[in-house]
Amino acid sequence: MFTYETADQKEVRRFRIAQFNGRMATVKAGESTVTGFVRSVLEQESSMPPRWTITIIPNGPKEEIKPLRPASRARPFAEDYF
């Protein structure tokens, strides 16, 4: 799990919407970029200005989809008449 802390209300809103809709969110912290599902968005009540802690479950990189068979070599139907 990846934990991210922010005070930006627009960013927190984006994470809450992603969590509610079950979509993945991307966080860029420093040089690293993490993409995954938002597990929780917690407000730290004792801090001023308000801060939030976001927990993300990262997803591994997707493998490239390999075609099941080679592309068809058949000519289009229209080429038979020209």
Side-chain angles (χ1 to χ4, degrees):
M1 283 196 283
F2 177 77
T3 303
Y4 178 72
E5 189 172 302
T6 185
D8 186 5
Q9 291 181 351
K10 288 182 181 180
E11 198 170 30
V12 171
R13 185 173 188 271
R14 181 173 66 90
F15 287 122
R16 284 186 174 157
I17 290 170
Q19 181 183 18
F20 180 78
N21 292 326
R23 295 184 182 152
M24 291 197 302
T26 301
V27 176
K28 189 169 187 178
E31 294 181 12
S32 64
T33 302
V34 177
T35 301
F37 291 102
V38 179
R39 181 179 179 114
S40 66
V41 178
L42 300 173
E43 183 178 1
Q44 297 174 357
E45 296 177 4
S46 61
S47 66
M48 198 61 182
R51 299 188 65 75
W52 291 268
T53 303
I54 295 117
T55 305
I56 296 177
I57 301 173
N59 284 358
K62 290 185 177 179
E63 296 179 13
E64 289 187 27
I65 299 174
K66 297 178 183 176
L68 297 176
R69 59 182 180 199
S72 174
R73 296 184 185 190
R75 294 180 305 182
F77 181 73
E79 287 183 3
D80 292 338
Y81 295 103
F82 295 107

